[in-house]
Amino acid sequence: MGRSAPGVRPLDGRKVPGWDAVWSVGQPADRVRTARAGDTALVVVGECGADDAQLAAGLRLVRAARWRDLTCWPGSYLVVAVHGPLTVVIGDLSGQHPVHWRRKDGGVWWANAASALAALDTAPVDQVTLAAHLAIGQPDVLAERSLFRDIHRVSPGRLLRIEADVLAVERFEPAEYEPVPLAEAAPRVGAALRLAVAARLDGHRPVSCDLAGMDSTTLTCLAAGHGAVTATTFTDPRIRDDDLAFARRIAATVPGLRHRVVTGEAGTAYYSGLDDLSHLPSTDAPNPYTVTAAIKRAVLAAATHRGPGLHFTGTGGDTVLSATGYLPDLLRARSYRTAFAHAQARARIGRTSVWAVLRRAHPASRTTFPGSLRLAAAELRRPARPWDPNHRPPQTFTPLLATAAWMTPYGRDLLADVLDHAADGTTAAPEWLASWTDRQDLLHLGADMNGWRALAEGEFGTELASPYLDNEVIRICLAVPPAERGAPGTFKPLLAAAFPNGPVPAFVLQRVTKGGFNGVSYAGLREHAPTIRALLGPDSRLAALGLADFGPVAAVLRRAAAGQRAPQGSVHLAVAAEVWLRQLDVRPAAWWEEVTSRVAAE
């Protein structure tokens, strides 16, 4: 949503009832809810678990400027609050409801979609921000810069405050949570997940769930406690895991489940369908589900019923329920005994030495966030090194991905200069690596969910729900010290402690294996190598921006075609960015239509 603009209004927009200058676009009427009394008003947009009485009571929170309390209801939603001349816009903590803003025509415009604000005057893609997206992949590295020039983003945990066209961005969420021991947090995690699932069930829409790993299985069991659920499991001869065996055991154990198995075939490998981009939804940012769209379509087709439906996914569970980047923090805090014990356990799992594990962790324990930015800049100024599957770089706040080596020297130097500038201007640097990494992962997942959501709603009329990305679930999970959440030897101990007495069967919570899609991914890289080469070739949009030199990309594709290891994630990232840029070339420019009154847009 957005605000404050003379002369235009959003095409196909619908004015929010009772508001003079706020519009919604593409949102069902029941996902835009309001409360008003006098000069105080409140709007929630999205899936908000507050009932009408709670929403009305929220007006007192607005008058008292208790902004964080407005973000504690279950669900995933955007908040717009007005009190007299003051407007406050608050997104969610995972970035599923982002907030962007710009100045134009003497006023402040804000919107849920950066591309809508860019369309006001065809603002171009911000080359540097896209370079950071590809090379580092952490949305907050460049703070408020968005993927479009002159369009600013509000980082999750901060709010946009507008009063008489005077703008401020303020933090409402603490950068670090007060630690809560796992045993104390576990019941609250269970309660938050129960609420997150229940808040989305209306008794009318048919419900479906992914049924694969521990995270999605937990949601399936919680949803099944309220009524019939269709559970879907994707399997493929190229996948070697035990997801299907566990899923069948769950289906035989939990009442109310209808289990459907979706078997992969030639057309459901990664990168299927990229020869015709018109079949992919346009999104506000590069969407990695462009790579797996064929698989997602197959699952949704099996899960959906006639009419609108609701589909639960376990997205976010890996991030909030476990942790991997905390060894440098233990060393920084001089918790040497704990660090050594965890390093030993991780060395056994990884079949390496404890000293190798500690060597990777040690540099980050001695480097600040600005220092990490400067080290990344220095690395970018050196000649790019070919990707080495055996190279294990040290842990850092700003790890360079394989895509950084694919950029031209011009692109690398451009990004290096901006990283140095960002290091010099950092005022509130994160202190703990695990916390920073968790939050960046969540922002990735939130943006990714929006891409998947566009496909699910646009083609199937199905609403996606990811309860692990709800604000309250994130808060209580991330308050558990990472060394407890990610303790080696026990897989997701927080989830097991959250449901000691059901409804999740004990054999699920005791599981120590995890599925993966490597086989399907490599099959897609091999089968669709010509399409990928055409997308990322010398004439690509990324090449024109200096962000992809076809030589190293071609070398990676040759490795994959020969059955050798390749940086799959970086290929996915580059393909998604290239598809996004091409869609921008052909996307209809008609976001707005001219009017004579002051309006706003989503």
Side-chain angles (χ1 to χ4, degrees):
M1 302 181 73
R3 182 181 190 274
S4 178
V8 297
R9 71 175 186 181
L11 189 66
D12 298 326
R14 183 174 59 249
K15 186 178 290 187
V16 174
W19 293 64
D20 293 331
V22 179
W23 297 70
S24 70
V25 178
Q27 288 284 351
D30 62 351
R31 295 294 177 266
V32 182
R33 300 171 55 212
T34 66
R36 177 182 289 273
D39 67 348
T40 305
L42 179 64
V43 177
V44 292
V45 182
E47 190 77 62
C48 179
D51 59 28
D52 291 342
Q54 290 171 315
L55 207 59
L59 295 174
R60 293 196 297 271
L61 302 175
V62 176
R63 296 187 191 101
R66 292 168 55 184
W67 309 124
R68 188 173 189 264
D69 291 347
L70 296 171
T71 69
C72 294
W73 293 308
S76 178
Y77 55 92
L78 177 83
V79 174
V80 186
V82 169
H83 184 47
L86 173 66
T87 298
V88 171
V89 189
I90 314 172
D92 69 310
L93 296 180
S94 71
Q96 292 183 87
H97 298 275
V99 179
H100 299 90
W101 64 273
R102 70 173 300 175
R103 292 189 181 276
K104 191 176 187 298
D105 298 331
V108 175
W109 302 52
W110 58 264
N112 193 238
S115 52
L117 296 180
L120 286 166
D121 56 5
T122 60
V125 168
D126 187 311
Q127 180 182 14
V128 171
T129 311
L130 184 58
H133 171 85
L134 288 166
I136 301 173
Q138 296 179 332
D140 281 339
V141 161
L142 297 185
E144 66 169 22
R145 292 180 71 150
S146 82
L147 287 168
F148 294 92
R149 193 179 303 168
D150 299 325
I151 313 301
H152 306 272
R153 62 184 287 269
V154 179
S155 299
R158 292 175 169 83
L159 56 81
L160 181 65
R161 180 187 181 99
I162 309 169
E163 190 165 8
D165 287 331
V166 176
L167 177 147
V169 175
E170 302 174 356
R171 178 173 286 282
F172 71 90
E173 188 77 2
E176 300 284 345
Y177 297 119
E178 287 294 323
V180 179
L182 186 147
E184 181 182 333
R188 294 165 59 187
V189 171
L193 284 172
R194 290 176 190 271
L195 280 175
V197 170
R200 292 167 163 90
L201 302 172
D202 56 17
H204 303 293
R205 294 177 296 179
V207 177
S208 58
C209 299
D210 290 335
L211 183 59
M214 289 176 63
D215 308 332
S216 59
T217 298
T218 296
L219 300 181
T220 300
C221 294
L222 292 174
H226 295 267
V229 170
T230 298
T232 58
T233 303
F234 180 82
T235 188
D236 190 288
R238 297 164 292 195
I239 297 177
R240 296 180 180 179
D241 62 27
D242 52 0
D243 277 358
L244 182 57
F246 270 90
R248 284 177 167 152
R249 189 175 174 187
I250 284 288
T253 303
V254 178
L257 286 188
R258 178 183 182 185
H259 188 210
R260 292 180 175 175
V261 178
V262 181
T263 303
E265 51 192 26
T268 52
Y270 279 39
Y271 305 101
S272 295
L274 290 183
D275 51 342
D276 184 359
L277 303 187
S278 65
H279 293 298
L280 295 171
S282 296
T283 53
D284 202 49
N287 169 29
Y289 286 112
T290 58
V291 171
T292 58
I295 295 173
K296 296 304 179 187
R297 284 191 177 100
V299 170
L300 289 169
T304 55
H305 305 255
R306 292 183 179 179
L310 174 68
H311 186 80
F312 285 99
T313 170
T315 298
D318 284 341
T319 298
V320 300
L321 296 171
S322 57
T324 57
Y326 60 86
L327 277 180
D329 294 338
L330 291 175
L331 294 174
R332 185 188 296 271
R334 299 184 178 180
S335 299
Y336 299 126
R337 183 173 298 178
T338 303
F340 190 81
H342 282 239
Q344 278 187 313
R346 295 200 174 278
R348 286 194 296 270
I349 295 170
R351 297 181 180 180
T352 186
S353 74
V354 64
W355 306 114
V357 173
L358 289 171
R359 276 196 300 271
R360 289 195 66 224
H362 184 261
S365 72
R366 305 292 296 273
T367 306
T368 63
F369 179 76
S372 182
L373 289 172
R374 293 188 182 96
L375 287 172
E379 177 67 21
L380 286 166
R381 289 193 176 94
R382 289 191 282 268
R385 293 179 294 184
W387 182 76
D388 180 357
N390 298 313
H391 178 56
R392 298 284 288 168
Q395 291 178 273
T396 174
F397 284 97
T398 53
L400 291 177
L401 307 175
T403 35
W406 304 346
M407 295 180 180
T408 64
Y410 164 77
R412 289 166 63 89
D413 287 343
L414 187 67
L415 179 57
D417 289 343
V418 172
L419 292 180
D420 275 336
H421 181 74
D424 294 338
T426 299
T427 56
E431 181 178 3
W432 304 108
L433 178 62
S435 177
W436 164 260
T437 302
D438 286 342
R439 291 182 185 271
Q440 299 312 297
D441 288 349
L442 287 172
L443 297 190
H444 264 303
L445 294 170
D448 295 352
M449 278 297 299
N450 286 338
W452 186 3
R453 184 172 287 110
L455 189 153
E457 293 181 354
E459 296 186 23
F460 297 92
T462 296
E463 181 176 335
L464 288 185
S466 48
Y468 293 104
L469 298 181
D470 278 16
N471 289 344
E472 287 295 273
V473 176
I474 290 172
R475 284 171 173 138
I476 185 56
C477 287
L478 296 192
V480 177
E484 292 189 55
R485 280 187 283 130
T490 305
F491 191 48
K492 297 185 178 175
L494 181 55
L495 190 62
F499 298 101
N501 302 309
V504 188
F507 69 83
V508 172
L509 300 175
Q510 294 165 2
R511 184 177 175 182
V512 295
T513 58
K514 181 175 175 57
F517 280 73
N518 275 354
V520 181
S521 176
Y522 272 106
L525 280 171
R526 290 192 300 271
E527 294 168 16
H528 300 288
T531 300
I532 301 170
R533 279 195 294 268
L535 279 171
L536 301 179
D539 297 327
S540 71
R541 281 27 171 209
L542 289 174
L545 293 172
L547 303 183
D549 183 344
F550 184 60
V553 175
V556 165
L557 295 179
R558 285 194 296 270
R559 286 184 61 91
Q564 298 175 318
R565 289 170 60 190
Q568 300 176 64
S570 293
V571 177
H572 300 173
L573 194 62
V575 167
E578 177 65 24
V579 168
W580 180 71
L581 289 170
R582 293 187 183 217
Q583 288 178 321
L584 288 179
D585 288 346
V586 299
R587 180 184 295 173
W591 272 95
W592 305 89
E593 59 184 347
E594 293 187 1
V595 295
T596 57
S597 61
R598 294 174 64 83
V599 298
E602 178 184 39

